[in-house]
Amino acid sequence: MLEMRPNCECCDRDLPPGAQDALICSFECTFCRACAETVLGGRCPNCGGALVARPVRTAQHLERHPPSARRVFNPDCRNRAA
Ligand SMILES: [Zn+2]
Ligand SMILES: [Zn+2]
């Protein structure tokens, strides 16, 4: 099951489970679309994998399967982007 991390790892913007503009890699490094497209060139700066749209988790599932509350933030992602 996806962790559904609560923020963009690059700019720390909130990405709630209903966000339409959250992207993830296969390890679930999580970024907003703006960072993915402008800063990162569509690739995860941590693993080099492709970033794809994260599915939305609908409200009826959030109670039993809450999203992660652990924020991951790497402000140097801009420097590590290929
Ligand atoms: Zn971002
Ligand atoms: Zn990654």
Side-chain angles (χ1 to χ4, degrees), residues 15-31:
L15 292 170
Q20 305 272 358
D21 59 344
L23 282 81
I24 57 173
C25 77
S26 70
F27 297 100
E28 252 192 281
C29 309
T30 304
F31 303 94

Side-chain angles (χ1 to χ4, degrees), residues 7-15 21 30-36 38-40 73 77-78:
N7 67 312
C8 171
E9 187 168 321
C10 194
C11 70
D12 203 28
R13 192 161 86 69
D14 284 346
L15 292 170
D21 59 344
T30 304
F31 303 94
C32 71
R33 184 172 293 281
C35 287
T38 63
V39 180
L40 305 173
F73 180 37
C77 82
R78 283 159 200 281

